[in-house]
Each structure stands twice: as C-alpha cells, then as structure tokens.
Amino acid sequence: MLSVEDLSAGYGARPVIHHISFSAQEGEFIALLGQNGSGKSTLLRSISCVLSQRSGRVLFQGKDLGQLSPGQRARLVASVPQKAHLPSKLTVHECVLLGRYARLGLLGRYQSQDLKAAEGALVLTGTLAYKNRVLGELSGGQMQKVLLAMALAQEPRLLLLDEVTQGIDLAGVLPVLELLKTLCAQGMLVLCALHDANLAAAYASRLLALKNGEKVLDAPTATAFTAENLSTIYDLPISIWTLGQSACRVAFPDCFTHGSPLPGKTRHCPGL
C-alpha cells in the first residue's frame, strides 16, 4: 500500500533524513519513535509531500505522491501536524469542514455527504460538544483532536500523525489511540510519531525508529519493544519491567528504578 524508497530530505542546506526505505500494508498501525531532532517530523512531512524530497520517492497504492496534484493527494493522504496555523475565529465545525475541500464538486459548495463526513469525524474524535466554539477558545489538547477530526473528514486511506496526543490528558489520550486502532482494523494505514514508547507498544502493531536521520529499527512491536532497542534509540539505559503475573511490559529508564546502569535488562515487579 505504501512504499518509501531511498527518501532523503532536509531544510535549506541542512540534510535531516538520509536514504530511508520501508513499506507498509493497509491496516497497520506504525509508531514512529526517536529522540527530538531525529527526523520524525521531517519524514512525515516528506511522505505527505509538504516538504520536497531531495532523493527517493513515495508510492501509495502504486501512485507516486510527488507527481499528484494537492487535491489528488488529499483524497488519499491526511496529515495532522504538531502545530497548525488556522484563523482563531474559525469555528470547530468550519475547521473540520476544511477537510472536505478536495472532495467538493464543481460549484465548490458543501453537499450533504460533506456535512455528514464532518459530523461523523466530530463524533469519532469526541469534539461534537464544542463544534460551535471558535478555535481561539480551545486548549492545546482540544485543538489536536479537532485537527484529527479535520483529517478524518478527508476520508483518507493513509493517516500521518505528528504527536497527535500532544497536550491531550490521559483521559483523552487512550480514546484517541483506541480510535486509531479501530481505524486500522477497518483498513486504514496509520503512521504516528509518538514520544511515549509504552503507549506505542500498547497500541501499535509495528515500531519504526529514527536516530540522527537514519532508520535504526523497523519490526513488529512484539519483537521490537526490547530494552536493547530502546536504550539504543534514546541513548539511555532502559529496562523493561513485567508487572505482576500479567503480560504487561513497561519501559523505564534505569535512573527511575535505581536499577543497574547497564541497559538490556528485563525485570519482574511482583508487587504490581
């Protein structure tokens, strides 16, 4: 469904990502991990063609995304950036309707199917209750959910998310991740940059990690979520703890648990 081939990109004279290649199928939930500045946002922007590629190409459903018009791409791919610059006086409903722009007819007017898609996206993201509020009144977490609703209103097949859970409290994060998992079960492909490796391991089917602009990990979550891998990605001694008799595995930096400074440990915490 998605093929990223030898992709390199950067800003001005500064290269950021180097010769990244991977492929993905419909229904996958891929968590993109890496330190700040590792190239996660640049990779997502390059795949969406917001940022020009220095080399390589991105194919989706056999089509070179770089050769499509913005409208054609918008029918296939939707993105949620870390920050969006939108007029503060727009209402939430008006903002979400912007996601339908590429699907408007010749007259450029919203039809019943556009209003239905926007309403459905508001319901899915839990933002229907404040559809008539203006963007300038929203918290950061509420704004992130509105941006996700706008992306879903596009009815894309590929969803690119750059820290979509940023600013959302714990009570709101879990429903968002559950929603993404459900969308994947329905055939959508999701590539989501996350800073929380534990949430990534709990929800994503696959982990893809960058370090210094290069791909250093790409494997199913069950085998990729190890102390060795996380310690390498974050340059920090990390251990994986299993909790009680459950199958739950959680990563902690060793400095938090007063453990050995040597990475690569798997520990058991019987009291939880």
Side-chain angles (χ1 to χ4, degrees):
M1 193 175 188
L2 173 69
S3 180
V4 176
E5 301 176 355
D6 196 38
L7 194 62
S8 297
Y11 305 93
R14 182 172 64 91
V16 177
I17 58 172
H18 315 281
H19 306 292
I20 293 177
S21 297
F22 67 93
S23 59
Q25 301 300 319
E26 64 179 12
E28 288 195 88
F29 184 169
I30 303 175
L32 183 59
L33 303 180
Q35 298 181 43
N36 291 334
S38 61
K40 302 187 299 297
S41 297
T42 301
L43 176 60
L44 292 172
R45 296 184 75 203
S46 300
I47 292 173
S48 67
C49 298
V50 171
L51 180 65
S52 298
Q53 301 139 8
R54 296 189 174 193
S55 69
R57 62 178 184 167
V58 178
L59 302 178
F60 186 70
Q61 294 182 335
K63 301 174 182 177
D64 187 335
L65 291 181
Q67 301 300 315
L68 301 180
S69 70
Q72 290 172 321
R73 279 197 301 272
R75 290 172 175 264
L76 297 173
V77 183
S79 301
V80 177
Q82 288 188 36
K83 296 179 181 179
H85 303 287
L86 294 166
S88 61
K89 296 300 183 181
L90 274 182
T91 67
V92 168
H93 189 232
E94 290 169 336
C95 177
V96 174
L97 273 172
L98 291 176
R100 300 297 300 173
Y101 185 77
R103 296 184 180 274
L104 294 183
L106 293 176
L107 298 179
R109 296 174 181 172
Y110 294 119
Q111 304 297 320
S112 60
Q113 64 266 27
D114 301 308
L115 299 175
K116 183 178 179 181
E119 193 87 353
L122 288 165
V123 171
L124 285 174
T125 55
T127 54
L128 183 63
Y130 44 91
K131 64 179 286 187
N132 295 318
R133 290 173 58 184
V134 298
L135 301 184
E137 297 177 358
L138 302 182
S139 69
Q142 288 174 326
M143 187 64 197
Q144 285 299 102
K145 289 194 282 186
V146 169
L147 293 176
L148 176 59
M150 183 169 66
L152 294 181
Q154 287 180 227
E155 297 182 311
R157 301 308 305 152
L158 170 61
L159 190 57
L160 304 173
L161 308 171
D162 195 356
E163 296 296 337
V164 69
T165 58
Q166 180 177 260
I168 302 178
D169 59 44
L170 185 59
V173 165
L174 300 184
V176 167
L177 293 174
E178 289 287 354
L179 170 59
L180 297 179
K181 195 170 181 179
T182 298
L183 293 172
C184 289
Q186 295 171 354
M188 188 178 291
L189 171 57
V190 173
L191 180 56
C192 180
L194 289 171
H195 274 307
D196 191 322
N198 289 314
L199 285 178
Y203 286 93
S205 58
R206 177 173 160 191
L207 303 182
L208 191 156
L210 302 183
K211 186 173 183 179
N212 298 323
E214 298 181 348
K215 186 180 75 174
V216 294
L217 175 69
D218 183 8
T221 302
T223 56
F225 189 67
T226 68
E228 293 90 343
N229 286 336
L230 296 179
S231 298
T232 297
I233 293 166
Y234 296 107
D235 288 325
L236 185 71
I238 292 174
S239 294
I240 303 291
W241 291 69
T242 58
L243 304 182
Q245 302 304 312
S246 73
C248 183
R249 302 167 69 240
V250 182
F252 285 108
D254 283 350
C255 60
F256 285 5
T257 57
H258 306 291
S260 165
L262 297 176
K265 301 288 184 181
T266 298
R267 305 164 185 271
H268 182 62
C269 187
L272 295 179

mmCIF file of all heavy atoms in Angstrom, residues 76-107:
data_model
loop_
_atom_site.group_PDB
_atom_site.id
_atom_site.type_symbol
_atom_site.label_atom_id
_atom_site.label_comp_id
_atom_site.label_asym_id
_atom_site.label_seq_id
_atom_site.Cartn_x
_atom_site.Cartn_y
_atom_site.Cartn_z
ATOM 1 N N LEU A 76 -6.207 10.780 -0.754
ATOM 2 C CA LEU A 76 -5.535 9.558 -0.318
ATOM 3 C C LEU A 76 -4.888 9.699 1.051
ATOM 4 O O LEU A 76 -4.898 8.763 1.849
ATOM 5 C CB LEU A 76 -4.444 9.172 -1.335
ATOM 6 C CG LEU A 76 -4.897 8.837 -2.754
ATOM 7 C CD1 LEU A 76 -3.676 8.646 -3.648
ATOM 8 C CD2 LEU A 76 -5.759 7.581 -2.762
ATOM 9 N N VAL A 77 -4.292 10.872 1.301
ATOM 10 C CA VAL A 77 -3.439 11.062 2.479
ATOM 11 C C VAL A 77 -3.907 12.267 3.281
ATOM 12 O O VAL A 77 -4.180 13.332 2.721
ATOM 13 C CB VAL A 77 -1.969 11.286 2.058
ATOM 14 C CG1 VAL A 77 -1.075 11.398 3.294
ATOM 15 C CG2 VAL A 77 -1.488 10.171 1.144
ATOM 16 N N ALA A 78 -3.988 12.100 4.606
ATOM 17 C CA ALA A 78 -4.283 13.220 5.502
ATOM 18 C C ALA A 78 -3.204 13.294 6.566
ATOM 19 O O ALA A 78 -2.675 12.265 7.004
ATOM 20 C CB ALA A 78 -5.650 13.044 6.152
ATOM 21 N N SER A 79 -2.876 14.514 6.981
ATOM 22 C CA SER A 79 -1.811 14.725 7.960
ATOM 23 C C SER A 79 -2.325 15.555 9.126
ATOM 24 O O SER A 79 -3.149 16.455 8.946
ATOM 25 C CB SER A 79 -0.620 15.455 7.325
ATOM 26 O OG SER A 79 -0.088 14.731 6.239
ATOM 27 N N VAL A 80 -1.802 15.260 10.308
ATOM 28 C CA VAL A 80 -2.044 16.096 11.483
ATOM 29 C C VAL A 80 -0.680 16.546 11.987
ATOM 30 O O VAL A 80 0.081 15.741 12.531
ATOM 31 C CB VAL A 80 -2.805 15.335 12.590
ATOM 32 C CG1 VAL A 80 -2.963 16.233 13.821
ATOM 33 C CG2 VAL A 80 -4.170 14.887 12.087
ATOM 34 N N PRO A 81 -0.324 17.824 11.799
ATOM 35 C CA PRO A 81 0.981 18.314 12.235
ATOM 36 C C PRO A 81 0.992 18.602 13.734
ATOM 37 O O PRO A 81 -0.053 18.575 14.403
ATOM 38 C CB PRO A 81 1.142 19.605 11.434
ATOM 39 C CG PRO A 81 -0.267 20.104 11.289
ATOM 40 C CD PRO A 81 -1.127 18.869 11.144
ATOM 41 N N GLN A 82 2.179 18.894 14.271
ATOM 42 C CA GLN A 82 2.262 19.286 15.679
ATOM 43 C C GLN A 82 1.565 20.617 15.913
ATOM 44 O O GLN A 82 0.942 20.834 16.948
ATOM 45 C CB GLN A 82 3.724 19.400 16.111
ATOM 46 C CG GLN A 82 4.443 18.072 16.256
ATOM 47 C CD GLN A 82 5.812 18.240 16.871
ATOM 48 O OE1 GLN A 82 6.026 19.067 17.740
ATOM 49 N NE2 GLN A 82 6.763 17.442 16.412
ATOM 50 N N LYS A 83 1.696 21.513 14.956
ATOM 51 C CA LYS A 83 1.068 22.825 15.062
ATOM 52 C C LYS A 83 0.420 23.172 13.728
ATOM 53 O O LYS A 83 0.941 22.835 12.673
ATOM 54 C CB LYS A 83 2.100 23.902 15.422
ATOM 55 C CG LYS A 83 2.742 23.731 16.793
ATOM 56 C CD LYS A 83 3.759 24.829 17.063
ATOM 57 C CE LYS A 83 4.416 24.654 18.428
ATOM 58 N NZ LYS A 83 5.435 25.711 18.684
ATOM 59 N N ALA A 84 -0.708 23.843 13.808
ATOM 60 C CA ALA A 84 -1.389 24.291 12.597
ATOM 61 C C ALA A 84 -1.723 25.764 12.752
ATOM 62 O O ALA A 84 -2.135 26.208 13.825
ATOM 63 C CB ALA A 84 -2.649 23.475 12.360
ATOM 64 N N HIS A 85 -1.534 26.514 11.698
ATOM 65 C CA HIS A 85 -1.816 27.948 11.724
ATOM 66 C C HIS A 85 -3.148 28.191 11.019
ATOM 67 O O HIS A 85 -3.221 28.286 9.796
ATOM 68 C CB HIS A 85 -0.672 28.703 11.052
ATOM 69 C CG HIS A 85 0.657 28.450 11.677
ATOM 70 N ND1 HIS A 85 1.012 28.982 12.907
ATOM 71 C CD2 HIS A 85 1.712 27.705 11.266
ATOM 72 C CE1 HIS A 85 2.227 28.586 13.218
ATOM 73 N NE2 HIS A 85 2.673 27.804 12.245
ATOM 74 N N LEU A 86 -4.198 28.271 11.827
ATOM 75 C CA LEU A 86 -5.548 28.468 11.314
ATOM 76 C C LEU A 86 -6.149 29.708 11.965
ATOM 77 O O LEU A 86 -5.811 30.044 13.106
ATOM 78 C CB LEU A 86 -6.413 27.241 11.621
ATOM 79 C CG LEU A 86 -6.026 25.948 10.906
ATOM 80 C CD1 LEU A 86 -6.720 24.761 11.558
ATOM 81 C CD2 LEU A 86 -6.394 26.036 9.424
ATOM 82 N N PRO A 87 -7.043 30.390 11.278
ATOM 83 C CA PRO A 87 -7.670 31.587 11.857
ATOM 84 C C PRO A 87 -8.377 31.274 13.172
ATOM 85 O O PRO A 87 -9.175 30.338 13.244
ATOM 86 C CB PRO A 87 -8.665 32.027 10.776
ATOM 87 C CG PRO A 87 -8.116 31.455 9.501
ATOM 88 C CD PRO A 87 -7.486 30.151 9.890
ATOM 89 N N SER A 88 -8.086 32.053 14.191
ATOM 90 C CA SER A 88 -8.633 31.776 15.521
ATOM 91 C C SER A 88 -10.139 31.975 15.593
ATOM 92 O O SER A 88 -10.783 31.475 16.518
ATOM 93 C CB SER A 88 -7.949 32.666 16.568
ATOM 94 O OG SER A 88 -8.184 34.041 16.281
ATOM 95 N N LYS A 89 -10.711 32.690 14.614
ATOM 96 C CA LYS A 89 -12.154 32.949 14.633
ATOM 97 C C LYS A 89 -12.959 31.855 13.933
ATOM 98 O O LYS A 89 -14.189 31.879 13.951
ATOM 99 C CB LYS A 89 -12.458 34.301 13.982
ATOM 100 C CG LYS A 89 -11.873 35.492 14.729
ATOM 101 C CD LYS A 89 -12.400 35.585 16.151
ATOM 102 C CE LYS A 89 -11.862 36.827 16.856
ATOM 103 N NZ LYS A 89 -12.359 36.905 18.264
ATOM 104 N N LEU A 90 -12.282 30.903 13.296
ATOM 105 C CA LEU A 90 -12.999 29.774 12.706
ATOM 106 C C LEU A 90 -13.678 28.967 13.800
ATOM 107 O O LEU A 90 -13.106 28.746 14.871
ATOM 108 C CB LEU A 90 -12.032 28.855 11.963
ATOM 109 C CG LEU A 90 -11.660 29.129 10.512
ATOM 110 C CD1 LEU A 90 -10.729 28.028 10.022
ATOM 111 C CD2 LEU A 90 -12.878 29.221 9.619
ATOM 112 N N THR A 91 -14.874 28.487 13.532
ATOM 113 C CA THR A 91 -15.489 27.557 14.477
ATOM 114 C C THR A 91 -14.904 26.162 14.252
ATOM 115 O O THR A 91 -14.323 25.876 13.201
ATOM 116 C CB THR A 91 -17.016 27.491 14.305
ATOM 117 O OG1 THR A 91 -17.311 26.889 13.038
ATOM 118 C CG2 THR A 91 -17.639 28.869 14.405
ATOM 119 N N VAL A 92 -15.079 25.318 15.237
ATOM 120 C CA VAL A 92 -14.620 23.931 15.125
ATOM 121 C C VAL A 92 -15.270 23.265 13.915
ATOM 122 O O VAL A 92 -14.604 22.567 13.140
ATOM 123 C CB VAL A 92 -14.930 23.157 16.421
ATOM 124 C CG1 VAL A 92 -14.726 21.655 16.229
ATOM 125 C CG2 VAL A 92 -14.061 23.667 17.565
ATOM 126 N N HIS A 93 -16.553 23.477 13.724
ATOM 127 C CA HIS A 93 -17.258 22.867 12.607
ATOM 128 C C HIS A 93 -16.706 23.345 11.272
ATOM 129 O O HIS A 93 -16.489 22.549 10.345
ATOM 130 C CB HIS A 93 -18.754 23.179 12.704
ATOM 131 C CG HIS A 93 -19.592 22.416 11.733
ATOM 132 N ND1 HIS A 93 -20.499 23.009 10.891
ATOM 133 C CD2 HIS A 93 -19.645 21.081 11.449
ATOM 134 C CE1 HIS A 93 -21.087 22.097 10.143
ATOM 135 N NE2 HIS A 93 -20.588 20.916 10.459
ATOM 136 N N GLU A 94 -16.457 24.643 11.160
ATOM 137 C CA GLU A 94 -15.890 25.191 9.931
ATOM 138 C C GLU A 94 -14.500 24.615 9.664
ATOM 139 O O GLU A 94 -14.143 24.321 8.514
ATOM 140 C CB GLU A 94 -15.808 26.711 10.021
ATOM 141 C CG GLU A 94 -17.157 27.403 9.981
ATOM 142 C CD GLU A 94 -17.076 28.875 10.337
ATOM 143 O OE1 GLU A 94 -16.108 29.269 11.033
ATOM 144 O OE2 GLU A 94 -17.976 29.631 9.924
ATOM 145 N N CYS A 95 -13.724 24.447 10.722
ATOM 146 C CA CYS A 95 -12.381 23.890 10.585
ATOM 147 C C CYS A 95 -12.433 22.459 10.061
ATOM 148 O O CYS A 95 -11.713 22.095 9.128
ATOM 149 C CB CYS A 95 -11.664 23.945 11.937
ATOM 150 S SG CYS A 95 -10.011 23.207 11.942
ATOM 151 N N VAL A 96 -13.296 21.648 10.644
ATOM 152 C CA VAL A 96 -13.395 20.249 10.231
ATOM 153 C C VAL A 96 -13.894 20.153 8.799
ATOM 154 O O VAL A 96 -13.445 19.302 8.017
ATOM 155 C CB VAL A 96 -14.297 19.464 11.209
ATOM 156 C CG1 VAL A 96 -14.531 18.046 10.713
ATOM 157 C CG2 VAL A 96 -13.659 19.427 12.594
ATOM 158 N N LEU A 97 -14.778 21.035 8.402
ATOM 159 C CA LEU A 97 -15.274 21.037 7.027
ATOM 160 C C LEU A 97 -14.171 21.330 6.015
ATOM 161 O O LEU A 97 -14.278 20.935 4.848
ATOM 162 C CB LEU A 97 -16.402 22.064 6.867
ATOM 163 C CG LEU A 97 -17.814 21.578 7.198
ATOM 164 C CD1 LEU A 97 -18.786 22.743 7.176
ATOM 165 C CD2 LEU A 97 -18.252 20.477 6.248
ATOM 166 N N LEU A 98 -13.105 22.010 6.444
ATOM 167 C CA LEU A 98 -11.986 22.263 5.537
ATOM 168 C C LEU A 98 -11.385 20.952 5.027
ATOM 169 O O LEU A 98 -10.795 20.910 3.950
ATOM 170 C CB LEU A 98 -10.905 23.090 6.241
ATOM 171 C CG LEU A 98 -11.257 24.547 6.557
ATOM 172 C CD1 LEU A 98 -10.114 25.196 7.333
ATOM 173 C CD2 LEU A 98 -11.547 25.318 5.286
ATOM 174 N N GLY A 99 -11.538 19.898 5.821
ATOM 175 C CA GLY A 99 -11.045 18.595 5.391
ATOM 176 C C GLY A 99 -11.764 18.053 4.168
ATOM 177 O O GLY A 99 -11.284 17.121 3.522
ATOM 178 N N ARG A 100 -12.904 18.635 3.823
ATOM 179 C CA ARG A 100 -13.678 18.175 2.664
ATOM 180 C C ARG A 100 -13.323 18.931 1.393
ATOM 181 O O ARG A 100 -13.878 18.650 0.327
ATOM 182 C CB ARG A 100 -15.181 18.362 2.939
ATOM 183 C CG ARG A 100 -15.688 17.586 4.140
ATOM 184 C CD ARG A 100 -15.543 16.104 3.954
ATOM 185 N NE ARG A 100 -16.287 15.612 2.807
ATOM 186 C CZ ARG A 100 -16.204 14.362 2.351
ATOM 187 N NH1 ARG A 100 -15.386 13.492 2.927
ATOM 188 N NH2 ARG A 100 -16.900 13.977 1.291
ATOM 189 N N TYR A 101 -12.410 19.900 1.493
ATOM 190 C CA TYR A 101 -12.148 20.805 0.369
ATOM 191 C C TYR A 101 -11.807 20.050 -0.917
ATOM 192 O O TYR A 101 -12.288 20.389 -1.998
ATOM 193 C CB TYR A 101 -11.014 21.759 0.731
ATOM 194 C CG TYR A 101 -10.760 22.817 -0.325
ATOM 195 C CD1 TYR A 101 -11.598 23.917 -0.442
ATOM 196 C CD2 TYR A 101 -9.700 22.697 -1.212
ATOM 197 C CE1 TYR A 101 -11.385 24.884 -1.410
ATOM 198 C CE2 TYR A 101 -9.480 23.648 -2.192
ATOM 199 C CZ TYR A 101 -10.320 24.742 -2.292
ATOM 200 O OH TYR A 101 -10.111 25.677 -3.257
ATOM 201 N N ALA A 102 -10.960 19.015 -0.807
ATOM 202 C CA ALA A 102 -10.525 18.297 -2.009
ATOM 203 C C ALA A 102 -11.645 17.473 -2.640
ATOM 204 O O ALA A 102 -11.506 17.012 -3.770
ATOM 205 C CB ALA A 102 -9.346 17.381 -1.676
ATOM 206 N N ARG A 103 -12.737 17.297 -1.915
ATOM 207 C CA ARG A 103 -13.836 16.472 -2.429
ATOM 208 C C ARG A 103 -15.053 17.305 -2.865
ATOM 209 O O ARG A 103 -16.096 16.753 -3.191
ATOM 210 C CB ARG A 103 -14.263 15.450 -1.375
ATOM 211 C CG ARG A 103 -13.154 14.443 -1.053
ATOM 212 C CD ARG A 103 -13.619 13.388 -0.076
ATOM 213 N NE ARG A 103 -12.562 12.434 0.235
ATOM 214 C CZ ARG A 103 -12.290 11.353 -0.479
ATOM 215 N NH1 ARG A 103 -13.009 11.083 -1.557
ATOM 216 N NH2 ARG A 103 -11.316 10.542 -0.120
ATOM 217 N N LEU A 104 -14.908 18.636 -2.833
ATOM 218 C CA LEU A 104 -16.030 19.477 -3.247
ATOM 219 C C LEU A 104 -16.288 19.337 -4.738
ATOM 220 O O LEU A 104 -15.370 19.096 -5.527
ATOM 221 C CB LEU A 104 -15.748 20.943 -2.912
ATOM 222 C CG LEU A 104 -15.647 21.294 -1.424
ATOM 223 C CD1 LEU A 104 -15.437 22.790 -1.268
ATOM 224 C CD2 LEU A 104 -16.887 20.853 -0.665
ATOM 225 N N GLY A 105 -17.537 19.516 -5.143
ATOM 226 C CA GLY A 105 -17.906 19.430 -6.550
ATOM 227 C C GLY A 105 -17.491 20.664 -7.323
ATOM 228 O O GLY A 105 -16.801 21.556 -6.809
ATOM 229 N N LEU A 106 -17.938 20.735 -8.564
ATOM 230 C CA LEU A 106 -17.555 21.823 -9.453
ATOM 231 C C LEU A 106 -17.998 23.179 -8.938
ATOM 232 O O LEU A 106 -17.332 24.198 -9.164
ATOM 233 C CB LEU A 106 -18.143 21.583 -10.848
ATOM 234 C CG LEU A 106 -17.574 20.382 -11.616
ATOM 235 C CD1 LEU A 106 -18.323 20.217 -12.935
ATOM 236 C CD2 LEU A 106 -16.079 20.578 -11.871
ATOM 237 N N LEU A 107 -19.106 23.235 -8.220
ATOM 238 C CA LEU A 107 -19.609 24.501 -7.709
ATOM 239 C C LEU A 107 -18.912 24.932 -6.426
ATOM 240 O O LEU A 107 -19.114 26.054 -5.953
ATOM 241 C CB LEU A 107 -21.128 24.414 -7.479
ATOM 242 C CG LEU A 107 -21.969 24.144 -8.729
ATOM 243 C CD1 LEU A 107 -23.453 24.051 -8.357
ATOM 244 C CD2 LEU A 107 -21.756 25.246 -9.762
#
